[in-house]
Amino acid sequence: IYEFHKIRTSAHVNSLNYFAGLLGYHFPEHDNDKMSGPMQTAYAFRIYFRYHPEYNIPKANLDLFRQMHAEHHRMQPHHLEHYCDVSKINDITLVEMVCDWHSASFEQRFITHEDKHDYTVQKYFDNVILKNPKYNWSSHQIDLINNLIQFLDTYANHDAVMEIWRPVLNV
């Protein structure tokens, strides 16, 4: 389970950095908190269960995951839950955030097939994030996010990203 977690997390970070690279960025420390301690245990079991639903995840592991997932989102600047005021998010963090959305979306759409409705990053931003009244985005941020999404949708190579995720499919 821990080895699978390592391979899957590596694929997620490499995928994120593929997207970031298209924009001229690199985020080598992304999700490092998921690689040790209770955070690692929580994510290892929960992610393994996503890929292997026949595995009965212990209730204690689910409870730990809920706690660690909330902590990860509160502690990491690339998650909205880190902010009381999203208008304070700087542009580089927005780049990491959008790249994280792209990596997660790719995994859900093409690797785990959890997204049966082809819910693109643009649809997620438009229908979930922008419609949430607790987020007070600046017009600059909205324009930047939309431009980043459009750029990545235009220039990302599906086959290249699939190759990044291939090790996960081979486990």
Side-chain angles (χ1 to χ4, degrees), residues 125-147:
F125 182 63
D126 292 343
N127 297 324
V128 176
I129 302 300
L130 278 181
K131 290 188 177 178
N132 190 326
K134 75 178 180 179
Y135 300 134
N136 58 327
W137 298 102
S138 72
S139 59
H140 165 77
Q141 289 174 310
I142 293 169
D143 290 344
L144 177 61
I145 292 169
N146 281 319
N147 288 335

Short mmCIF file of all heavy atoms in Angstrom, two decimals, residues 125-147:
data_model
loop_
_atom_site.label_atom_id
_atom_site.label_comp_id
_atom_site.label_asym_id
_atom_site.label_seq_id
_atom_site.Cartn_x
_atom_site.Cartn_y
_atom_site.Cartn_z
N PHE A 125 -13.86 25.11 -12.43
CA PHE A 125 -13.66 26.49 -12.01
C PHE A 125 -14.95 27.29 -12.16
O PHE A 125 -15.37 27.99 -11.23
CB PHE A 125 -12.52 27.13 -12.81
CG PHE A 125 -12.23 28.55 -12.40
CD1 PHE A 125 -11.79 28.84 -11.12
CD2 PHE A 125 -12.41 29.59 -13.28
CE1 PHE A 125 -11.53 30.15 -10.71
CE2 PHE A 125 -12.15 30.91 -12.90
CZ PHE A 125 -11.71 31.18 -11.61
N ASP A 126 -15.60 27.18 -13.30
CA ASP A 126 -16.82 27.95 -13.56
C ASP A 126 -17.99 27.55 -12.67
O ASP A 126 -18.71 28.41 -12.16
CB ASP A 126 -17.25 27.80 -15.02
CG ASP A 126 -16.30 28.43 -16.00
OD1 ASP A 126 -15.47 29.27 -15.59
OD2 ASP A 126 -16.37 28.08 -17.20
N ASN A 127 -18.18 26.26 -12.48
CA ASN A 127 -19.39 25.76 -11.82
C ASN A 127 -19.25 25.50 -10.33
O ASN A 127 -20.26 25.41 -9.63
CB ASN A 127 -19.88 24.48 -12.50
CG ASN A 127 -20.28 24.74 -13.94
OD1 ASN A 127 -20.81 25.79 -14.26
ND2 ASN A 127 -20.00 23.79 -14.81
N VAL A 128 -18.02 25.38 -9.84
CA VAL A 128 -17.82 25.10 -8.42
C VAL A 128 -17.12 26.27 -7.74
O VAL A 128 -17.65 26.84 -6.79
CB VAL A 128 -17.02 23.79 -8.21
CG1 VAL A 128 -16.73 23.55 -6.73
CG2 VAL A 128 -17.76 22.61 -8.81
N ILE A 129 -15.98 26.62 -8.24
CA ILE A 129 -15.17 27.63 -7.56
C ILE A 129 -15.77 29.03 -7.70
O ILE A 129 -15.97 29.73 -6.71
CB ILE A 129 -13.72 27.62 -8.10
CG1 ILE A 129 -13.08 26.23 -7.92
CG2 ILE A 129 -12.88 28.70 -7.44
CD1 ILE A 129 -13.01 25.76 -6.50
N LEU A 130 -16.05 29.45 -8.92
CA LEU A 130 -16.58 30.80 -9.12
C LEU A 130 -17.96 31.01 -8.50
O LEU A 130 -18.31 32.12 -8.12
CB LEU A 130 -16.63 31.16 -10.60
CG LEU A 130 -15.33 31.64 -11.22
CD1 LEU A 130 -15.52 31.97 -12.68
CD2 LEU A 130 -14.76 32.84 -10.47
N LYS A 131 -18.74 29.94 -8.40
CA LYS A 131 -20.09 30.08 -7.86
C LYS A 131 -20.13 30.01 -6.34
O LYS A 131 -21.19 30.21 -5.74
CB LYS A 131 -21.01 29.01 -8.46
CG LYS A 131 -21.29 29.28 -9.92
CD LYS A 131 -22.33 28.36 -10.48
CE LYS A 131 -22.60 28.75 -11.93
NZ LYS A 131 -23.56 27.88 -12.55
N ASN A 132 -18.99 29.76 -5.72
CA ASN A 132 -18.95 29.68 -4.27
C ASN A 132 -18.86 31.10 -3.70
O ASN A 132 -17.87 31.80 -3.94
CB ASN A 132 -17.75 28.86 -3.81
CG ASN A 132 -17.80 28.56 -2.33
OD1 ASN A 132 -18.26 29.37 -1.54
ND2 ASN A 132 -17.31 27.40 -1.96
N PRO A 133 -19.87 31.55 -2.98
CA PRO A 133 -19.90 32.94 -2.51
C PRO A 133 -18.81 33.28 -1.49
O PRO A 133 -18.53 34.46 -1.26
CB PRO A 133 -21.29 33.08 -1.88
CG PRO A 133 -21.71 31.69 -1.56
CD PRO A 133 -21.04 30.79 -2.57
N LYS A 134 -18.17 32.28 -0.88
CA LYS A 134 -17.14 32.60 0.11
C LYS A 134 -15.82 33.03 -0.53
O LYS A 134 -14.96 33.56 0.15
CB LYS A 134 -16.92 31.45 1.07
CG LYS A 134 -16.16 30.26 0.54
CD LYS A 134 -15.98 29.23 1.64
CE LYS A 134 -15.22 28.03 1.12
NZ LYS A 134 -15.01 27.04 2.17
N TYR A 135 -15.69 32.84 -1.84
CA TYR A 135 -14.45 33.23 -2.52
C TYR A 135 -14.62 34.61 -3.16
O TYR A 135 -15.49 34.80 -4.00
CB TYR A 135 -14.05 32.20 -3.57
CG TYR A 135 -13.81 30.83 -2.99
CD1 TYR A 135 -14.35 29.70 -3.60
CD2 TYR A 135 -13.05 30.64 -1.84
CE1 TYR A 135 -14.13 28.43 -3.08
CE2 TYR A 135 -12.83 29.38 -1.32
CZ TYR A 135 -13.37 28.28 -1.94
OH TYR A 135 -13.16 27.03 -1.42
N ASN A 136 -13.76 35.53 -2.78
CA ASN A 136 -13.82 36.89 -3.30
C ASN A 136 -12.63 37.13 -4.24
O ASN A 136 -11.69 37.83 -3.92
CB ASN A 136 -13.82 37.90 -2.15
CG ASN A 136 -12.59 37.77 -1.27
OD1 ASN A 136 -12.07 36.69 -1.06
ND2 ASN A 136 -12.14 38.88 -0.73
N TRP A 137 -12.70 36.51 -5.40
CA TRP A 137 -11.62 36.62 -6.37
C TRP A 137 -11.52 38.04 -6.93
O TRP A 137 -12.53 38.68 -7.16
CB TRP A 137 -11.86 35.67 -7.55
CG TRP A 137 -11.91 34.22 -7.17
CD1 TRP A 137 -13.02 33.46 -7.02
CD2 TRP A 137 -10.80 33.37 -6.90
NE1 TRP A 137 -12.67 32.18 -6.68
CE2 TRP A 137 -11.31 32.10 -6.61
CE3 TRP A 137 -9.42 33.57 -6.88
CZ2 TRP A 137 -10.49 31.02 -6.29
CZ3 TRP A 137 -8.61 32.49 -6.57
CH2 TRP A 137 -9.15 31.24 -6.29
N SER A 138 -10.30 38.45 -7.20
CA SER A 138 -10.12 39.72 -7.91
C SER A 138 -10.32 39.45 -9.41
O SER A 138 -10.20 38.30 -9.86
CB SER A 138 -8.73 40.29 -7.66
OG SER A 138 -7.75 39.54 -8.33
N SER A 139 -10.61 40.46 -10.17
CA SER A 139 -10.76 40.28 -11.62
C SER A 139 -9.43 39.81 -12.22
O SER A 139 -9.43 39.00 -13.16
CB SER A 139 -11.26 41.56 -12.28
OG SER A 139 -10.37 42.62 -12.06
N HIS A 140 -8.31 40.29 -11.70
CA HIS A 140 -7.00 39.83 -12.18
C HIS A 140 -6.85 38.32 -11.98
O HIS A 140 -6.40 37.60 -12.87
CB HIS A 140 -5.86 40.56 -11.45
CG HIS A 140 -4.53 39.90 -11.62
ND1 HIS A 140 -3.79 40.01 -12.79
CD2 HIS A 140 -3.83 39.08 -10.80
CE1 HIS A 140 -2.68 39.30 -12.67
NE2 HIS A 140 -2.68 38.73 -11.48
N GLN A 141 -7.24 37.84 -10.80
CA GLN A 141 -7.12 36.40 -10.52
C GLN A 141 -8.01 35.57 -11.44
O GLN A 141 -7.59 34.54 -11.96
CB GLN A 141 -7.49 36.11 -9.06
CG GLN A 141 -6.47 36.61 -8.07
CD GLN A 141 -6.94 36.42 -6.65
OE1 GLN A 141 -8.07 36.81 -6.31
NE2 GLN A 141 -6.10 35.84 -5.82
N ILE A 142 -9.23 36.02 -11.64
CA ILE A 142 -10.15 35.28 -12.52
C ILE A 142 -9.59 35.24 -13.94
O ILE A 142 -9.58 34.18 -14.57
CB ILE A 142 -11.56 35.92 -12.49
CG1 ILE A 142 -12.20 35.73 -11.12
CG2 ILE A 142 -12.45 35.34 -13.59
CD1 ILE A 142 -13.46 36.53 -10.89
N ASP A 143 -9.11 36.36 -14.42
CA ASP A 143 -8.51 36.39 -15.77
C ASP A 143 -7.29 35.48 -15.84
O ASP A 143 -7.12 34.73 -16.81
CB ASP A 143 -8.11 37.81 -16.16
CG ASP A 143 -9.30 38.72 -16.41
OD1 ASP A 143 -10.43 38.19 -16.59
OD2 ASP A 143 -9.10 39.95 -16.43
N LEU A 144 -6.43 35.54 -14.82
CA LEU A 144 -5.23 34.70 -14.81
C LEU A 144 -5.61 33.22 -14.81
O LEU A 144 -5.08 32.44 -15.61
CB LEU A 144 -4.35 35.02 -13.60
CG LEU A 144 -3.10 34.15 -13.44
CD1 LEU A 144 -2.17 34.29 -14.64
CD2 LEU A 144 -2.38 34.50 -12.14
N ILE A 145 -6.50 32.82 -13.94
CA ILE A 145 -6.92 31.42 -13.87
C ILE A 145 -7.51 30.97 -15.20
O ILE A 145 -7.16 29.91 -15.72
CB ILE A 145 -7.90 31.19 -12.70
CG1 ILE A 145 -7.16 31.37 -11.37
CG2 ILE A 145 -8.55 29.81 -12.79
CD1 ILE A 145 -8.08 31.44 -10.15
N ASN A 146 -8.40 31.76 -15.77
CA ASN A 146 -8.99 31.39 -17.06
C ASN A 146 -7.92 31.28 -18.15
O ASN A 146 -7.97 30.36 -18.97
CB ASN A 146 -10.07 32.39 -17.46
CG ASN A 146 -11.37 32.13 -16.75
OD1 ASN A 146 -11.81 31.00 -16.59
ND2 ASN A 146 -12.02 33.20 -16.31
N ASN A 147 -6.96 32.21 -18.15
CA ASN A 147 -5.89 32.16 -19.15
C ASN A 147 -5.00 30.94 -18.95
O ASN A 147 -4.57 30.30 -19.92
CB ASN A 147 -5.05 33.44 -19.12
CG ASN A 147 -5.80 34.62 -19.70
OD1 ASN A 147 -6.71 34.48 -20.50
ND2 ASN A 147 -5.43 35.82 -19.26
#
